[in-house]
Amino acid sequence: MLVPAITRVFEEVSMKIRELANHWEQTAKGRLTKTGYEVHLDVEAAARLAAIAEMYPKRVPEELLGELIGAALEELEASFPYVKGSHVVATDEEGDPLYEDVGPTPRFLELSKRYLQDLTDQQDSQQH
């Protein structure tokens, strides 16, 4: 059954979403790309987005979606499992070895950094 899985996901991100709601109330804004994304929502998600948009009328739905996606990506990154590699990269304060992470996190961070640089370069070239 899908409902318990959705409930579990909601409970796992509820603190982050609570922080996001506080962020909306303070109306802070980050840098935006010129890249647009077309997203088709299921009916339940669209209804929830409409509810949030009504609750926070200073934000347009596209801003809310962008911030929700950003929060979800942060949660996704945090959820990636650590997979112990064979290479020691450091030692802790007690002198015990710390091994490289060979799980998805390093690759995600590497790709994120690369795409951030690409997007930043694109924006810079468009401004000049």
Side-chain angles (χ1 to χ4, degrees), residues 110-123:
E110 175 188 326
L111 289 170
S112 294
K113 183 177 178 181
R114 185 180 88 201
Y115 285 111
L116 176 61
Q117 186 63 51
D118 290 350
L119 290 167
T120 302
D121 291 348
Q122 265 182 350
Q123 283 183 330

Side-chain angles (χ1 to χ4, degrees), residues 10 13 16-18 20-25 41 43-69 71:
F10 178 75
V13 299
K16 192 62 158 178
I17 299 303
R18 193 173 304 123
L20 191 55
N22 289 336
H23 170 75
W24 290 335
E25 289 181 15
L41 302 174
V43 177
E44 291 83 6
R48 289 180 179 137
L49 178 60
I52 292 170
E54 185 173 325
M55 292 171 62
Y56 299 97
K58 292 181 181 181
R59 296 272 197 227
V60 296
E62 292 79 7
E63 287 176 314
L64 296 169
L65 280 171
E67 291 171 343
L68 284 166
I69 290 169

Side-chain angles (χ1 to χ4, degrees), residues 2-20:
L2 190 56
V3 174
I6 292 171
T7 303
R8 186 172 7 94
V9 169
F10 178 75
E11 289 170 353
E12 290 172 2
V13 299
S14 64
M15 186 59 164
K16 192 62 158 178
I17 299 303
R18 193 173 304 123
E19 292 169 9
L20 191 55

